[in-house]
PDB file of all heavy atoms in Angstrom:
ATOM      1  N   PHE G  28     -92.031   1.536 -20.737  1.00  0.00           N
ATOM      2  CA  PHE G  28     -92.447   1.490 -22.078  1.00  0.00           C
ATOM      3  C   PHE G  28     -91.887   0.304 -22.782  1.00  0.00           C
ATOM      4  O   PHE G  28     -90.758   0.002 -22.614  1.00  0.00           O
ATOM      5  CB  PHE G  28     -91.978   2.789 -22.703  1.00  0.00           C
ATOM      6  CG  PHE G  28     -92.741   3.972 -22.243  1.00  0.00           C
ATOM      7  CD1 PHE G  28     -92.282   4.617 -21.056  1.00  0.00           C
ATOM      8  CD2 PHE G  28     -93.823   4.542 -22.827  1.00  0.00           C
ATOM      9  CE1 PHE G  28     -92.932   5.758 -20.528  1.00  0.00           C
ATOM     10  CE2 PHE G  28     -94.517   5.675 -22.315  1.00  0.00           C
ATOM     11  CZ  PHE G  28     -93.989   6.269 -21.234  1.00  0.00           C
ATOM     12  N   TYR G  29     -92.658  -0.248 -23.708  1.00  0.00           N
ATOM     13  CA  TYR G  29     -92.291  -1.463 -24.541  1.00  0.00           C
ATOM     14  C   TYR G  29     -92.578  -1.080 -25.946  1.00  0.00           C
ATOM     15  O   TYR G  29     -93.655  -0.488 -26.264  1.00  0.00           O
ATOM     16  CB  TYR G  29     -93.122  -2.689 -24.118  1.00  0.00           C
ATOM     17  CG  TYR G  29     -92.958  -3.097 -22.736  1.00  0.00           C
ATOM     18  CD1 TYR G  29     -93.538  -2.413 -21.711  1.00  0.00           C
ATOM     19  CD2 TYR G  29     -92.233  -4.236 -22.429  1.00  0.00           C
ATOM     20  CE1 TYR G  29     -93.434  -2.860 -20.365  1.00  0.00           C
ATOM     21  CE2 TYR G  29     -92.046  -4.722 -21.108  1.00  0.00           C
ATOM     22  CZ  TYR G  29     -92.671  -4.049 -20.093  1.00  0.00           C
ATOM     23  OH  TYR G  29     -92.543  -4.413 -18.845  1.00  0.00           O
ATOM     24  N   GLY G  30     -91.690  -1.417 -26.850  1.00  0.00           N
ATOM     25  CA  GLY G  30     -91.898  -1.210 -28.309  1.00  0.00           C
ATOM     26  C   GLY G  30     -91.216   0.079 -28.765  1.00  0.00           C
ATOM     27  O   GLY G  30     -90.464   0.662 -28.076  1.00  0.00           O
ATOM     28  N   PRO G  31     -91.459   0.378 -30.103  1.00  0.00           N
ATOM     29  CA  PRO G  31     -92.468  -0.290 -30.935  1.00  0.00           C
ATOM     30  C   PRO G  31     -92.047  -1.655 -31.309  1.00  0.00           C
ATOM     31  O   PRO G  31     -90.934  -1.908 -31.704  1.00  0.00           O
ATOM     32  CB  PRO G  31     -92.546   0.704 -32.080  1.00  0.00           C
ATOM     33  CG  PRO G  31     -91.256   1.488 -32.148  1.00  0.00           C
ATOM     34  CD  PRO G  31     -90.819   1.458 -30.729  1.00  0.00           C
ATOM     35  N   VAL G  32     -93.107  -2.543 -31.345  1.00  0.00           N
ATOM     36  CA  VAL G  32     -92.823  -3.943 -31.691  1.00  0.00           C
ATOM     37  C   VAL G  32     -94.126  -4.439 -32.293  1.00  0.00           C
ATOM     38  O   VAL G  32     -95.202  -3.937 -32.104  1.00  0.00           O
ATOM     39  CB  VAL G  32     -92.499  -4.728 -30.357  1.00  0.00           C
ATOM     40  CG1 VAL G  32     -93.654  -4.655 -29.402  1.00  0.00           C
ATOM     41  CG2 VAL G  32     -92.079  -6.186 -30.649  1.00  0.00           C
ATOM     42  N   ALA G  33     -93.939  -5.403 -33.201  1.00  0.00           N
ATOM     43  CA  ALA G  33     -95.120  -6.050 -33.813  1.00  0.00           C
ATOM     44  C   ALA G  33     -95.960  -6.884 -32.700  1.00  0.00           C
ATOM     45  O   ALA G  33     -95.274  -7.589 -31.921  1.00  0.00           O
ATOM     46  CB  ALA G  33     -94.735  -7.016 -34.911  1.00  0.00           C
ATOM     47  N   PRO G  34     -97.220  -6.736 -32.650  1.00  0.00           N
ATOM     48  CA  PRO G  34     -97.965  -7.429 -31.578  1.00  0.00           C
ATOM     49  C   PRO G  34     -98.171  -8.850 -31.884  1.00  0.00           C
ATOM     50  O   PRO G  34     -98.304  -9.244 -33.010  1.00  0.00           O
ATOM     51  CB  PRO G  34     -99.284  -6.683 -31.538  1.00  0.00           C
ATOM     52  CG  PRO G  34     -99.462  -6.174 -32.955  1.00  0.00           C
ATOM     53  CD  PRO G  34     -98.028  -5.874 -33.391  1.00  0.00           C
ATOM     54  N   SER G  35     -98.151  -9.742 -30.929  1.00  0.00           N
ATOM     55  CA  SER G  35     -98.464 -11.140 -31.107  1.00  0.00           C
ATOM     56  C   SER G  35     -99.909 -11.408 -31.223  1.00  0.00           C
ATOM     57  O   SER G  35    -100.358 -12.389 -31.774  1.00  0.00           O
ATOM     58  CB  SER G  35     -97.866 -12.005 -30.007  1.00  0.00           C
ATOM     59  OG  SER G  35     -98.423 -11.645 -28.753  1.00  0.00           O
ATOM     60  N   GLU G  36    -100.765 -10.450 -30.722  1.00  0.00           N
ATOM     61  CA  GLU G  36    -102.214 -10.540 -30.830  1.00  0.00           C
ATOM     62  C   GLU G  36    -102.714  -9.184 -31.360  1.00  0.00           C
ATOM     63  O   GLU G  36    -102.168  -8.152 -30.958  1.00  0.00           O
ATOM     64  CB  GLU G  36    -102.854 -10.851 -29.531  1.00  0.00           C
ATOM     65  CG  GLU G  36    -102.490 -12.206 -28.899  1.00  0.00           C
ATOM     66  CD  GLU G  36    -103.300 -12.507 -27.712  1.00  0.00           C
ATOM     67  OE1 GLU G  36    -104.574 -12.431 -27.760  1.00  0.00           O
ATOM     68  OE2 GLU G  36    -102.680 -12.774 -26.673  1.00  0.00           O
ATOM     69  N   LYS G  37    -103.614  -9.159 -32.256  1.00  0.00           N
ATOM     70  CA  LYS G  37    -104.158  -7.952 -32.864  1.00  0.00           C
ATOM     71  C   LYS G  37    -105.623  -7.811 -32.433  1.00  0.00           C
ATOM     72  O   LYS G  37    -106.285  -8.789 -32.092  1.00  0.00           O
ATOM     73  CB  LYS G  37    -103.987  -7.931 -34.337  1.00  0.00           C
ATOM     74  CG  LYS G  37    -102.553  -7.950 -34.761  1.00  0.00           C
ATOM     75  CD  LYS G  37    -102.285  -7.795 -36.209  1.00  0.00           C
ATOM     76  CE  LYS G  37    -100.804  -7.755 -36.503  1.00  0.00           C
ATOM     77  NZ  LYS G  37    -100.549  -7.417 -37.888  1.00  0.00           N
ATOM     78  N   GLY G  38    -106.128  -6.633 -32.515  1.00  0.00           N
ATOM     79  CA  GLY G  38    -107.574  -6.369 -32.193  1.00  0.00           C
ATOM     80  C   GLY G  38    -107.647  -5.951 -30.681  1.00  0.00           C
ATOM     81  O   GLY G  38    -106.862  -5.179 -30.256  1.00  0.00           O
ATOM     82  N   THR G  39    -108.630  -6.512 -30.001  1.00  0.00           N
ATOM     83  CA  THR G  39    -108.992  -6.027 -28.698  1.00  0.00           C
ATOM     84  C   THR G  39    -108.184  -6.702 -27.580  1.00  0.00           C
ATOM     85  O   THR G  39    -108.383  -6.402 -26.345  1.00  0.00           O
ATOM     86  CB  THR G  39    -110.473  -6.082 -28.451  1.00  0.00           C
ATOM     87  OG1 THR G  39    -110.879  -7.512 -28.574  1.00  0.00           O
ATOM     88  CG2 THR G  39    -111.219  -5.233 -29.394  1.00  0.00           C
ATOM     89  N   ARG G  40    -107.369  -7.712 -27.929  1.00  0.00           N
ATOM     90  CA  ARG G  40    -106.566  -8.397 -26.974  1.00  0.00           C
ATOM     91  C   ARG G  40    -105.187  -7.903 -26.960  1.00  0.00           C
ATOM     92  O   ARG G  40    -104.627  -7.629 -28.053  1.00  0.00           O
ATOM     93  CB  ARG G  40    -106.614  -9.912 -27.114  1.00  0.00           C
ATOM     94  CG  ARG G  40    -108.010 -10.489 -26.974  1.00  0.00           C
ATOM     95  CD  ARG G  40    -108.057 -11.984 -27.223  1.00  0.00           C
ATOM     96  NE  ARG G  40    -107.059 -12.671 -26.398  1.00  0.00           N
ATOM     97  CZ  ARG G  40    -107.309 -13.216 -25.250  1.00  0.00           C
ATOM     98  NH1 ARG G  40    -108.527 -13.159 -24.707  1.00  0.00           N
ATOM     99  NH2 ARG G  40    -106.353 -13.900 -24.545  1.00  0.00           N
ATOM    100  N   SER G  41    -104.612  -7.738 -25.726  1.00  0.00           N
ATOM    101  CA  SER G  41    -103.126  -7.236 -25.706  1.00  0.00           C
ATOM    102  C   SER G  41    -102.459  -8.074 -24.655  1.00  0.00           C
ATOM    103  O   SER G  41    -103.042  -8.474 -23.650  1.00  0.00           O
ATOM    104  CB  SER G  41    -103.175  -5.740 -25.320  1.00  0.00           C
ATOM    105  OG  SER G  41    -103.721  -4.971 -26.335  1.00  0.00           O
ATOM    106  N   ARG G  42    -101.146  -8.096 -24.840  1.00  0.00           N
ATOM    107  CA  ARG G  42    -100.207  -8.601 -23.719  1.00  0.00           C
ATOM    108  C   ARG G  42     -99.006  -7.776 -23.871  1.00  0.00           C
ATOM    109  O   ARG G  42     -98.653  -7.280 -24.940  1.00  0.00           O
ATOM    110  CB  ARG G  42     -99.978 -10.090 -23.904  1.00  0.00           C
ATOM    111  CG  ARG G  42     -99.268 -10.419 -25.212  1.00  0.00           C
ATOM    112  CD  ARG G  42     -98.806 -11.838 -25.376  1.00  0.00           C
ATOM    113  NE  ARG G  42     -99.929 -12.711 -25.049  1.00  0.00           N
ATOM    114  CZ  ARG G  42     -99.955 -14.053 -25.323  1.00  0.00           C
ATOM    115  NH1 ARG G  42     -98.888 -14.556 -25.893  1.00  0.00           N
ATOM    116  NH2 ARG G  42    -100.990 -14.787 -24.995  1.00  0.00           N
ATOM    117  N   LEU G  43     -98.237  -7.706 -22.818  1.00  0.00           N
ATOM    118  CA  LEU G  43     -96.983  -6.992 -22.817  1.00  0.00           C
ATOM    119  C   LEU G  43     -96.097  -7.717 -23.864  1.00  0.00           C
ATOM    120  O   LEU G  43     -95.960  -8.945 -23.842  1.00  0.00           O
ATOM    121  CB  LEU G  43     -96.205  -6.955 -21.466  1.00  0.00           C
ATOM    122  CG  LEU G  43     -96.809  -5.958 -20.479  1.00  0.00           C
ATOM    123  CD1 LEU G  43     -96.118  -6.036 -19.153  1.00  0.00           C
ATOM    124  CD2 LEU G  43     -96.653  -4.556 -21.011  1.00  0.00           C
ATOM    125  N   GLU G  44     -95.484  -6.913 -24.698  1.00  0.00           N
ATOM    126  CA  GLU G  44     -94.660  -7.417 -25.815  1.00  0.00           C
ATOM    127  C   GLU G  44     -93.186  -6.998 -25.629  1.00  0.00           C
ATOM    128  O   GLU G  44     -92.910  -5.785 -25.492  1.00  0.00           O
ATOM    129  CB  GLU G  44     -95.174  -6.931 -27.180  1.00  0.00           C
ATOM    130  CG  GLU G  44     -96.603  -7.326 -27.415  1.00  0.00           C
ATOM    131  CD  GLU G  44     -96.768  -8.736 -27.900  1.00  0.00           C
ATOM    132  OE1 GLU G  44     -95.798  -9.455 -27.987  1.00  0.00           O
ATOM    133  OE2 GLU G  44     -97.975  -9.170 -28.076  1.00  0.00           O
ATOM    134  N   GLY G  45     -92.230  -7.924 -25.777  1.00  0.00           N
ATOM    135  CA  GLY G  45     -90.854  -7.560 -25.769  1.00  0.00           C
ATOM    136  C   GLY G  45     -90.354  -7.151 -24.403  1.00  0.00           C
ATOM    137  O   GLY G  45     -90.856  -7.563 -23.434  1.00  0.00           O
ATOM    138  N   SER G  46     -89.241  -6.422 -24.450  1.00  0.00           N
ATOM    139  CA  SER G  46     -88.649  -5.903 -23.248  1.00  0.00           C
ATOM    140  C   SER G  46     -88.819  -4.427 -23.145  1.00  0.00           C
ATOM    141  O   SER G  46     -89.157  -3.672 -24.065  1.00  0.00           O
ATOM    142  CB  SER G  46     -87.150  -6.379 -23.214  1.00  0.00           C
ATOM    143  OG  SER G  46     -86.532  -5.865 -24.377  1.00  0.00           O
ATOM    144  N   VAL G  47     -88.473  -3.993 -21.903  1.00  0.00           N
ATOM    145  CA  VAL G  47     -88.606  -2.497 -21.693  1.00  0.00           C
ATOM    146  C   VAL G  47     -87.629  -1.754 -22.563  1.00  0.00           C
ATOM    147  O   VAL G  47     -86.419  -2.080 -22.615  1.00  0.00           O
ATOM    148  CB  VAL G  47     -88.284  -2.173 -20.212  1.00  0.00           C
ATOM    149  CG1 VAL G  47     -88.272  -0.708 -19.884  1.00  0.00           C
ATOM    150  CG2 VAL G  47     -89.440  -2.895 -19.296  1.00  0.00           C
ATOM    151  N   THR G  48     -88.119  -0.725 -23.277  1.00  0.00           N
ATOM    152  CA  THR G  48     -87.227   0.052 -24.121  1.00  0.00           C
ATOM    153  C   THR G  48     -86.975   1.457 -23.526  1.00  0.00           C
ATOM    154  O   THR G  48     -86.047   2.130 -23.990  1.00  0.00           O
ATOM    155  CB  THR G  48     -87.878   0.233 -25.549  1.00  0.00           C
ATOM    156  OG1 THR G  48     -89.174   0.748 -25.438  1.00  0.00           O
ATOM    157  CG2 THR G  48     -87.963  -1.103 -26.260  1.00  0.00           C
ATOM    158  N   ALA G  49     -87.763   1.856 -22.594  1.00  0.00           N
ATOM    159  CA  ALA G  49     -87.580   3.108 -21.856  1.00  0.00           C
ATOM    160  C   ALA G  49     -88.465   3.122 -20.602  1.00  0.00           C
ATOM    161  O   ALA G  49     -89.441   2.418 -20.542  1.00  0.00           O
ATOM    162  CB  ALA G  49     -88.005   4.284 -22.772  1.00  0.00           C
ATOM    163  N   GLU G  50     -87.958   3.822 -19.589  1.00  0.00           N
ATOM    164  CA  GLU G  50     -88.676   4.042 -18.394  1.00  0.00           C
ATOM    165  C   GLU G  50     -88.481   5.392 -17.837  1.00  0.00           C
ATOM    166  O   GLU G  50     -87.400   5.990 -18.016  1.00  0.00           O
ATOM    167  CB  GLU G  50     -88.455   2.915 -17.321  1.00  0.00           C
ATOM    168  CG  GLU G  50     -86.953   2.847 -16.886  1.00  0.00           C
ATOM    169  CD  GLU G  50     -86.752   1.729 -15.973  1.00  0.00           C
ATOM    170  OE1 GLU G  50     -87.108   0.593 -16.240  1.00  0.00           O
ATOM    171  OE2 GLU G  50     -86.151   1.960 -14.934  1.00  0.00           O
ATOM    172  N   VAL G  51     -89.450   5.902 -17.087  1.00  0.00           N
ATOM    173  CA  VAL G  51     -89.337   7.260 -16.504  1.00  0.00           C
ATOM    174  C   VAL G  51     -90.115   7.304 -15.217  1.00  0.00           C
ATOM    175  O   VAL G  51     -91.199   6.645 -15.112  1.00  0.00           O
ATOM    176  CB  VAL G  51     -89.841   8.292 -17.560  1.00  0.00           C
ATOM    177  CG1 VAL G  51     -91.328   8.138 -17.805  1.00  0.00           C
ATOM    178  CG2 VAL G  51     -89.479   9.717 -17.139  1.00  0.00           C
ATOM    179  N   ALA G  52     -89.645   8.098 -14.284  1.00  0.00           N
ATOM    180  CA  ALA G  52     -90.328   8.384 -13.013  1.00  0.00           C
ATOM    181  C   ALA G  52     -91.535   9.225 -13.455  1.00  0.00           C
ATOM    182  O   ALA G  52     -91.520  10.079 -14.269  1.00  0.00           O
ATOM    183  CB  ALA G  52     -89.450   9.044 -12.062  1.00  0.00           C
ATOM    184  N   VAL G  53     -92.673   8.954 -12.734  1.00  0.00           N
ATOM    185  CA  VAL G  53     -93.879   9.736 -13.002  1.00  0.00           C
ATOM    186  C   VAL G  53     -93.683  11.147 -12.322  1.00  0.00           C
ATOM    187  O   VAL G  53     -93.329  11.245 -11.167  1.00  0.00           O
ATOM    188  CB  VAL G  53     -95.076   9.100 -12.393  1.00  0.00           C
ATOM    189  CG1 VAL G  53     -96.332   9.973 -12.570  1.00  0.00           C
ATOM    190  CG2 VAL G  53     -95.411   7.735 -13.166  1.00  0.00           C
ATOM    191  N   THR G  54     -93.820  12.178 -13.187  1.00  0.00           N
ATOM    192  CA  THR G  54     -93.631  13.553 -12.666  1.00  0.00           C
ATOM    193  C   THR G  54     -94.773  13.863 -11.595  1.00  0.00           C
ATOM    194  O   THR G  54     -95.926  13.596 -11.911  1.00  0.00           O
ATOM    195  CB  THR G  54     -93.681  14.513 -13.872  1.00  0.00           C
ATOM    196  OG1 THR G  54     -92.594  14.301 -14.798  1.00  0.00           O
ATOM    197  CG2 THR G  54     -93.593  15.997 -13.349  1.00  0.00           C
TER     198      THR G  54
END
């Protein structure tokens, strides 16, 4: 998980933003 963080691009384009803020093994 990344964020919450302000996006560098808004609308329909996305890129990974910032650094990992949490991670979890998939149950």
Side-chain angles (χ1 to χ4, degrees):
F28 293 82
Y29 299 75
V32 63
S35 60
E36 296 186 54
K37 296 185 179 188
T39 59
R40 295 181 52 95
S41 297
R42 64 173 50 166
L43 280 176
E44 300 282 358
S46 57
V47 174
T48 55
E50 59 183 48
V51 67
V53 174
T54 297

